[in-house]
């Protein structure tokens, strides 16, 4: 972003996004972030930092107090039906219809996403890609483990084939192997040109694949680093440093707060 | 998109484990209820016919017109198979004679008290109690269940309008519950044909309207279920709430309504009215005898100063006139008494009607009462059943009495009997014409009150409309609630 003037239009963009819940909790404070085509943006932050709130704002699940969440330039809260055509979503705890098989769930949600041309083979391919065993395809979801459900959710997002993808702690519940496969998958999607905004607690994976890493604390973006900036930096130390800094209410030093234009 | 959502809803209901079990139970109950209903109806018809035979024999055996009595029986109505209503509570028989007023006695339940404990299971009961619960069971988590499941978020990560989603949800649940229920209902109707229940076209119309009414009623509970699930976050809370709504709507409010109306509009009991009638009767006869004494005194006064021969001659001359005068005033007394009786009855009936109207309207706070009232109207087993029969029997009684009096006049006899005491033959009671049977071919025949379409379907229209309005309001409410529903 900072080195090129000819850039693709942002697919996901938060503009001074602020959310104060009814009970007075300020979950987001003037959040600005941009994710373009072919980029992965990883949001780090402790519990309650505001990661899910950010993603919910993009999905119009919450109405921002002020500011905007734009998908492909469309205000997600003003024109949610239009905006959501361009985004796919995997929640931190994917739960599907327990009485339907993986295939049936996939079919329903993918069609709901507006893609009705797929055939069984396409679904099988997607499920293979996310690493679900073939014998599970026609089993009812109620017998699935959390990780298996997560994989189905990811397959749904892939099949929706939207230019922007929102992932809320997508690797939660995945075993290490599946987590690794998933990381590779997200990188593949990025390489296909998707704009991916993901929240995660996994600092190492974030560093491994993210083009941008943002650190959220109490609803504020306290740091944003590019992949290049993180080269050779111990992200974990950086992260703890920021969190500690904020908790002590110490002023954030200029060198650390690297705000981007 | 709509059909996709609708299909999913349908599939979700039909594949849910609770569906098969509840559907089978409901179907079985419906079929059993129709079967029992047909049996009860056939019993009632058999009793009706036996009674008509008894009445015919009684008349045939009568030896004098004064002793002809008729016994009328309430005619069973085949639609009562579906809605027994007050059929089991209202008497079946009434004597028709000059000595007592028309009064339906011996209700099925008074004859067989055992069955009065828990009452019968009829189609209306199953719809009212079981199917409403069935509807709640499949809707209490319609919205909040999807939220808890996380599927609501996943669905709305796509470009779907909430209104469309809710309409599809309602349609899907509606089809998923109503269509399967129509199967046992249709089978029940086939059973009517198989058992050769005599159904007129108006009866069929009533039955079809009843099915329509039931569909409306179940739809209302579907809507209520969706509404509550759209205003609550957790399905356990909505289930609890719906249970409270169901209990008060089905079991409490209708009863309270009737009880409240009973307190607000007081209606005298039948015994109280009868006491009043008797008091009037006694007073009137007392008046009459006082009058008679006066009349005789007057007559004596007219004869004052006459010689014995003159008196006898005067008496002989006046005898017939006096007899006629006395007879006329006696008849006047009788007619006064009848008029008063009917007036009292009418007054109490009017008050009763007022009370009923009030009771129904308070009870209608719960649409359940609306369903029950309309169902009973459709089946002709409504609260008016007793009155309808008693009124038509009273009209018949007038014709009947007139006929008998005319016959008595034709015969010239008083219709009573003569008791003569003879030293040789002892006491002899002469009933008049005891050797010949009476020719009763021209005796008026009783016709059961006819149920016109406006009394059944017409009378139920209000409740159809009321249920419809409740559904629209409920659905509008759910759309509003869902528009602002927090999907997370
Ligand atoms: N509906 C709500 N009403 C009030 N406060 C809320 C609501 N939802 C979230 N919050 C608050 O907003 C803040 C941000 O929550 P959010 O769920 O975005 O955190 P998060 O970064 O996703 O955390 P985690 O890592 O635990 O998922 C928290 O303080 C939370 O308590
Ligand atoms: Mg979260």
């Amino acid at each position: 972003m900072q080195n090129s003037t000819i850039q693709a239009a942002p697919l996901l963009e938060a503009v001074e996004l602020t959310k104060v819940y009814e009970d007075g909790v300020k979950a987001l404070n003037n959040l600005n972030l941009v994710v373009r085509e072919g980029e992965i943006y990883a949001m780090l932050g402790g519990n309650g930092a505001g990661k899910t709130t950010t993603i919910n704002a993009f999905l119009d699940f919450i109405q921002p107090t002020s500011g905007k969440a734009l998908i492909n330039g469309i205000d997600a809260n003003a024109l949610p039906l239009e905006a959501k055509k361009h985004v796919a979503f995997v929640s931190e705890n994917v739960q599907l219809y327990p009485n339907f098989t993986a295939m049936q769930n996939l079919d329903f949600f993918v069609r709901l996403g507006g893609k009705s041309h797929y055939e069984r083979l396409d679904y099988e391919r997607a499920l293979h890609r996310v690493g679900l065993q073939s014998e599970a395809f026609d089993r009812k979801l109620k017998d699935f483990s959390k990780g298996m459900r997560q994989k189905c959710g990811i397959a749904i997002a892939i099949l929706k084939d939207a230019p922007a993808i929102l992932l809320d702690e997508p690797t939660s519940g995945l075993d290490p192997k599946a987590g690794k496969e998933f990381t590779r998958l997200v990188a593949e999607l990025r390489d296909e040109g998707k704009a991916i905004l993901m929240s995660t607690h996994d600092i190492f994976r974030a560093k491994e694949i993210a083009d941008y890493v943002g650190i959220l604390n109490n609803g504020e973006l306290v740091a944003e680093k590019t992949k290049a900036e993180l080269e050779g930096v111990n992200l974990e130390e950086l992260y703890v440093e920021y969190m500690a800094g904020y908790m002590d209410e110490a002023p954030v030093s200029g060198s650390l707060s690297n705000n981007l234009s | 998109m709509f059909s996709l959502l609708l299909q999913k809803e349908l599939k979700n209901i039909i594949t849910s484990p609770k569906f098969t079990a509840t559907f089978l139970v409901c179907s079985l109950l419906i079929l059993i209820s129709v079967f029992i209903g047909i049996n009860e109806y056939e019993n009632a018809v058999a009793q009706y016919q036996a009674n008509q035979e008894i009445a015919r024999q009684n008349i045939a055996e009568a030896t004098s017109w004064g002793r002809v009595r008729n016994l009328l029986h309430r005619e069973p109505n085949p639609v009562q198979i579906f809605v027994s209503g007050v059929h089991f509570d209202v008497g079946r028989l009434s004597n028709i004679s000059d000595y007592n007023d028309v009064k339906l006695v011996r209700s099925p339940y008074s004859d067989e008290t055992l069955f009065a404990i828990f009452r019968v299971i009829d189609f209306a009961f199953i719809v009212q109690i079981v199917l409403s619960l069935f509807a709640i069971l499949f809707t209490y988590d319609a919205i909040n269940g999807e939220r808890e499941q996380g599927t609501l978020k996943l669905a709305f990560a796509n470009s779907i309008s909430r209104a469309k989603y809710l309409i599809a949800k309602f349609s899907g649940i509606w089809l998923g519950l109503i269509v399967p229920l129509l199967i046992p209902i249709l089978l029940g109707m086939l059973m009517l044909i198989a058992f050769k229940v005599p159904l007129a076209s108006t009866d069929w119309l009533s039955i079809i309207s009843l099915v329509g009414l039931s569909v409306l009623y179940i739809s209302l509970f579907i809507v209520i279920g969706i509404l509550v699930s759209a205003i609550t976050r957790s399905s356990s809370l909505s289930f609890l709430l719906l249970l409270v709504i169901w209990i008060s709507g089905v079991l409490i409010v209708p009863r309270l309504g009737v009880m409240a109306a009973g307190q607000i509009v007081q209606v005298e009991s039948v015994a109280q009215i009868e006491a009043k009638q008797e008091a009037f009767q006694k007073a009137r006869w007392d008046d009459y005898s006082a009058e008679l004494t006066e009349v005789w005194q007057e007559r004596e006064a007219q004869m004052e100063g006459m010689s014995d021969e003159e008196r006898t001659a005067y008496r002989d001359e006046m005898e017939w006139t006096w007899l006629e005068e006395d007879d006329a005033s006696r008849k006047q007394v009788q007619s006064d008494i009848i008029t008063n009786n009917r007036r009292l009855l009418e007054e109490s009936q009017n008050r009763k009607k007022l009370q009923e109207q009030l009771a129904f309207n308070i009870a209608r706070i719960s649409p359940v009462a609306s369903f029950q009232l309309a169902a009973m109207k459709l089946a002709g087993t409504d609260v008016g059943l007793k009155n309808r029969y008693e009124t038509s029997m009273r009209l018949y009684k007038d014709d009947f009495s007139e006929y008998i009096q005319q016959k008595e006049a034709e015969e010239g006899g008083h219709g009573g009997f003569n008791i003569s005491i003879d030293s040789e033959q002892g006491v002899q009671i002469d009933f008049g014409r005891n050797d010949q049977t009476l020719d009763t071919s021209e005796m008026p025949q009783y016709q059961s009150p006819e149920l016109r379409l406006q009394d059944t379907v017409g009378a139920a229209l209000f409740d159809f409309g009321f249920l419809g309005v409740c559904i629209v309001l409920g659905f509008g409410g759910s759309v509003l609630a869902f528009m602002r529903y927090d999907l997370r």
Side-chain angles (χ1 to χ4, degrees), chain A residues 21 56 59 61-62 81 84-85 87 89 95-100 104 108-109 111-113 140 160, chain B residues 1 4-5 8 11-12 15-17 146 148-149 151 153-161 486-488:
Chain A
Y21 283 106
N56 283 342
L59 291 166
F61 291 165
I62 57 156
L81 296 190
K84 284 192 239 177
K85 282 181 188 162
V87 72
F89 165 63
Q95 276 175 317
L96 303 165
Y97 292 105
N99 293 324
F100 292 179
Q104 289 171 332
F108 171 67
F109 283 105
R111 281 170 188 274
L112 212 54
K140 289 195 173 177
K160 187 174 177 184
Chain B
M1 196 69 79
L4 175 70
L5 286 165
K8 178 231 106 196
K11 205 155 69 177
N12 199 18
T15 57
S16 79
E146 295 242 16
E148 289 171 331
Q149 242 175 36
T151 41
K153 264 169 82 172
L154 203 53
F156 279 94
N158 297 301
S159 155
I160 311 162
S161 96
D486 188 347
L487 303 170
R488 293 168 304 148

Side-chain angles (χ1 to χ4, degrees), chain B residues 417-420 427-431 434:
Chain B
F417 43 84
N418 280 325
I419 305 176
S420 52
V427 180
Q428 263 214 332
I429 304 172
D430 175 15
F431 290 119
N434 52 1

Side-chain angles (χ1 to χ4, degrees), chain A residues 68-85:
Chain A
K68 279 179 188 167
L70 304 171
I71 302 173
N72 204 10
I74 305 161
D75 188 334
N77 300 107
L79 294 167
L81 296 190
E82 203 43 51
K84 284 192 239 177
K85 282 181 188 162

Side-chain angles (χ1 to χ4, degrees), chain A residues 51-53 92 168-169 199:
Chain A
K51 304 181 294 295
T52 301
T53 304
E92 54 191 310
D168 195 358
E169 293 177 41
S199 80

